[in-house]
Amino acid sequence: MNKLATEIERSLPEKMYLPDEIRKLLVWIENTGSVEEYDGKNYGTLPGELNSNTYIEFYSELETKLWWCFDCKEAQIDEIDKRIFIFARTGCDGSVAAFWLDDNGIQRIVHIGSASGSAMICVLGNDPLDFIKLLAIGYEEICWGEEEYNNPPNNPEITNEEYKQWVEESFNTKIPSTGAEIIQDPAVTWDLESNDLFCRWLSKYNKEDF
């Protein structure tokens, strides 16, 4: 039994599910010996030498507490908790990736910047495979949005070679050269003019008349 995938799946709110692509990734990570247990919880990273891969840490976040994102009434917190589940840390600043149920009940993967560093708030691609490919491009962290996505990675030490090969072979796909090929319009916190579905949903909780 895969400990990390099982732990995340068992923690999901009602109506959420663990996508097959993400499950496959978590199983592969554990099979490469890249899952460690700390204080009774499992944490997974991309395999390889230290500082040679894009930073990502998969885990099960049981308490959302996105206080920097939401300015809402107490009664709305339950709705938020049912529709957002954090499953990965995307940056050393505290940014995260989460599953989100949109207004049509479609589950998507979204990014939530920490606001102490990254302010990127948006859907991370059209499907889970887009998220998996984004991690393979070679950015040090995926949390910085258009500051980096319009250009190829500039750190030659971040190679992701083992991971790239696994992604291409496992999903019969190619890795894009820039993040903008996956995420064309990365939004930022409280951008009321954004066309991004997640940013617009989050922003409505920060309107006084909501």
Side-chain angles (χ1 to χ4, degrees), residues 151-184:
N151 300 298
N154 58 13
N155 187 344
E157 295 181 0
I158 305 298
T159 60
N160 290 345
E161 289 302 330
E162 185 177 357
Y163 177 60
K164 284 182 179 179
Q165 182 177 355
W166 176 80
V167 172
E168 291 180 336
E169 292 179 354
S170 298
F171 299 100
N172 190 28
T173 190
K174 294 295 183 183
I175 308 302
S177 59
T178 69
E181 295 176 59
I182 294 175
I183 304 170
Q184 298 178 0

Side-chain angles (χ1 to χ4, degrees), residues 88-105:
R89 187 169 290 111
T90 61
C92 294
D93 67 326
S95 296
V96 295
F99 298 127
W100 169 59
L101 290 176
D102 70 15
D103 288 336
N104 295 315

Side-chain angles (χ1 to χ4, degrees), residues 63-120:
E63 296 184 10
T64 306
K65 293 186 177 178
L66 300 176
W67 55 266
W68 66 92
C69 290
F70 298 105
D71 180 17
C72 59
K73 300 175 182 177
E74 188 72 24
Q76 296 166 338
I77 293 177
D78 286 343
E79 178 188 355
I80 293 169
D81 286 343
K82 291 175 182 177
R83 295 179 64 175
I84 295 180
F85 179 83
I86 296 170
F87 70 94
R89 187 169 290 111
T90 61
C92 294
D93 67 326
S95 296
V96 295
F99 298 127
W100 169 59
L101 290 176
D102 70 15
D103 288 336
N104 295 315
I106 298 173
Q107 182 172 302
R108 303 177 186 273
I109 294 178
V110 298
H111 189 269
I112 306 171
S114 69
S116 62
S118 167
M120 186 173 76

